[in-house]
Amino acid sequence: MVMSAVVEEAVMDAPYGVAEPVRTIEHAAEEINGSFSLTDVSVAYGAETVIAGVNMLVPTRAVTALIGPSGCGKSTLLRCLNRMNDEIGNVRVGGTITLDGLDIYQKSIDPVDLRMRVGQVFQRPNPFPMSLYDNVAFGPRTQGVRKRDELDAIIEEALKDAALWDEVKNHLKKHAFELSGGQQQRLCIARALATKPEVLLMDEPASALDPISTQQIEDTIAELKNMVTIVIVTHNMQQAARISDQTAFMLRESMDQPAHLVEVGETKRMFTNPDDRRTESYITGRFG
């Protein structure tokens, strides 16, 4: 065993692989999958390659955690999955990334459309400076939904899925900035869910929150994975053990070498019997 009793207890009952869907989210009137395949993926900023040789599968309707020390490329790799790195100048992504078999970097793919299918929640809550209702309605309105009754139904469903409905259902005209930090983050989750995504990317979504709000976010993630594939970046090993089905460990061993994927596998196995000694050293706190 390479982990503490607390972390071990958290992963012993953790499911892995493809969870049976409790309900179906429709996208473009089709059954969704939400499975990524990464083949020899690299990322370069100008002449500097910062990530190289990443090969992994992201299973559908499961939680995949990206772990590793600061600066090892976790967030950069996450942003590759919805082409957010396109917004950063002088970035090149190599290799192949497919979503349900479709190469997301082919020229015919509109990044805006992709981001409707692959939503993202950031480290710090970033609600728009408008009402709760308008925050969640933003994406559907962009997609052309105008009827009030349709918007009402979408907003109620998204807020329920984000475990926020009961707290705000009578205050939807309230300004988003009046919510607590934890509520704002769940509002951002609801905003992402309102476009019916296949995948939800989460970049340390609880790192700026108090323990109670963190627990609420983790509980929400546990419910959401029955509907949507989740990829989460986290520095918290206990959190990765509690909520993820699959874990991928990334490492940049020196500044003159690009980051790479050390290993990826079922969370329970990774935290109890990893294949690589570097994984064991990181999980047990010997470095990082």
Side-chain angles (χ1 to χ4, degrees), residues 139-204:
R141 283 171 172 159
T142 301
Q143 293 175 318
V145 180
R146 291 290 182 269
K147 293 182 178 179
R148 181 68 184 219
D149 57 344
E150 292 182 24
L151 284 172
D152 289 349
I154 290 170
I155 288 165
E156 180 175 347
E157 180 182 13
L159 287 169
K160 283 181 176 178
D161 288 343
L164 189 58
W165 175 253
D166 288 342
E167 298 172 39
V168 302
K169 61 185 178 182
N170 296 320
H171 308 284
L172 295 179
K173 293 183 179 180
K174 189 175 184 178
H175 197 284
F177 292 170
E178 296 181 56
L179 297 181
S180 68
Q183 289 175 322
Q184 287 186 18
Q185 192 66 300
R186 282 181 284 148
L187 178 66
C188 293
I189 292 173
R191 187 178 65 199
L193 293 174
T195 61
K196 307 298 185 186
E198 298 179 27
V199 183
L200 188 60
L201 310 178
M202 310 185 86
D203 194 352
E204 297 193 69

Side-chain angles (χ1 to χ4, degrees), residues 224-237:
L224 289 176
K225 77 173 184 178
N226 293 312
M227 301 179 288
V228 62
T229 300
I230 296 175
V231 185
I232 182 171
V233 169
T234 181
H235 281 287
N236 186 319
M237 293 302 94

Side-chain angles (χ1 to χ4, degrees), residues 121-125 162-163 167 180-186 189 202-224 232-244:
V121 176
F122 297 91
Q123 181 174 4
R124 293 188 177 278
E167 298 172 39
S180 68
Q183 289 175 322
Q184 287 186 18
Q185 192 66 300
R186 282 181 284 148
I189 292 173
M202 310 185 86
D203 194 352
E204 297 193 69
S207 64
L209 303 180
D210 61 85
I212 293 176
S213 296
T214 296
Q215 182 64 58
Q216 291 173 325
I217 295 295
E218 291 184 6
D219 291 344
T220 301
I221 291 171
E223 294 292 329
L224 289 176
I232 182 171
V233 169
T234 181
H235 281 287
N236 186 319
M237 293 302 94
Q238 288 83 2
Q239 183 175 80
R242 286 192 298 267
I243 67 173
S244 70

Side-chain angles (χ1 to χ4, degrees), residues 86-107:
D86 290 9
E87 307 303 316
I88 304 173
N90 209 22
V91 175
R92 290 178 291 107
V93 178
T96 304
I97 301 177
T98 63
L99 173 60
D100 302 333
L102 179 67
D103 184 348
I104 66 172
Y105 279 86
Q106 62 181 321
K107 292 182 179 179

